[in-house]
Amino acid sequence: RDLQRAEDSFRHLEREANSVLQELKAARAGLAAERQRVEKAEEQSAQLNALVASLRNDMEGLEARARAAEAAARSAELVAQRQEAELGYLKQRLEDAQHMEAERQSSRDETRALAETSRQRVEFLERALQKTTAA
C-alpha cells in the first residue's frame, strides 16, 4: 500500500513535472518568437533611422541649393539693374550726341549760307569793280 501510494505520488509528480516542462517549452518558444519580433523591430528602426538621416541630408542639400538659387537671383537682379542704369546713361549720351550733331549741322548750314552770301557779294563787288574800271 505504501508502495502504491508512493507510485501514485511519483506519477502525480511526474505528470506535474511534464506539465511544467511543457509550459517551460511553450514559454521558451514564446520567448524566442518575441526575441525575433524585437530583432525585426530593431532592424526596421535602424532602417528608418538611416532613411531619416538620408532624407535630412537631402533636405539640407535642397535648402542649400535654394539659398544658392536665391543668391544667384539677387545677383542677376543687381546685374540687370546695373545694366538698366548703364543703358539709361548710354541713351542720354546718344541723345546728347545727336543734339550736338544737330547743332553742328545747323552751324555748318549757317556757315555755308554765310559763305554763299559772301561769295555772291564778292562776285557782285567784282562785277561792280569791273564796270567801274571799264567806265
Side-chain angles (χ1 to χ4, degrees), residues 26-42:
R28 282 184 179 158
L31 183 60
E34 187 62 28
R35 186 174 292 135
Q36 285 180 342
R37 281 194 296 267
V38 167
E39 288 173 358
K40 187 174 182 177
E42 286 174 347

Side-chain angles (χ1 to χ4, degrees), residues 89-131:
Y89 170 75
L90 291 174
K91 282 182 178 178
Q92 184 61 48
R93 295 255 338 243
L94 177 61
E95 200 175 293
D96 291 347
Q98 288 172 338
H99 182 66
M100 288 174 63
E101 181 58 31
E103 286 179 0
R104 277 193 223 125
Q105 187 61 43
S106 175
S107 178
R108 277 190 219 122
D109 291 347
E110 287 176 16
T111 302
R112 283 191 190 118
L114 285 173
E116 181 60 26
T117 303
S118 296
R119 187 187 61 74
Q120 289 174 0
R121 280 191 187 153
V122 167
E123 286 177 1
F124 174 75
L125 291 174
E126 284 177 344
R127 279 185 299 217
L129 181 60
Q130 285 175 357
K131 288 182 187 174

Side-chain angles (χ1 to χ4, degrees), residues 21-35:
L21 186 61
Q22 291 302 319
E23 288 176 22
L24 181 61
K25 286 179 183 178
R28 282 184 179 158
L31 183 60
E34 187 62 28
R35 186 174 292 135

Side-chain angles (χ1 to χ4, degrees), residues 15-86:
R15 282 192 300 271
E16 281 185 25
N18 283 336
S19 176
V20 168
L21 186 61
Q22 291 302 319
E23 288 176 22
L24 181 61
K25 286 179 183 178
R28 282 184 179 158
L31 183 60
E34 187 62 28
R35 186 174 292 135
Q36 285 180 342
R37 281 194 296 267
V38 167
E39 288 173 358
K40 187 174 182 177
E42 286 174 347
E43 183 180 315
Q44 289 174 342
S45 177
Q47 290 173 349
L48 286 175
N49 286 339
L51 179 60
V52 166
S54 173
L55 290 174
R56 188 171 288 133
N57 285 339
D58 291 349
M59 188 175 74
E60 288 171 0
L62 288 173
E63 287 173 347
R65 288 196 339 225
R67 285 191 301 273
E70 287 173 1
R74 283 192 301 273
S75 177
E77 188 176 329
L78 290 174
V79 167
Q81 288 173 354
R82 186 173 61 238
Q83 288 176 343
E84 193 174 317
E86 288 176 13

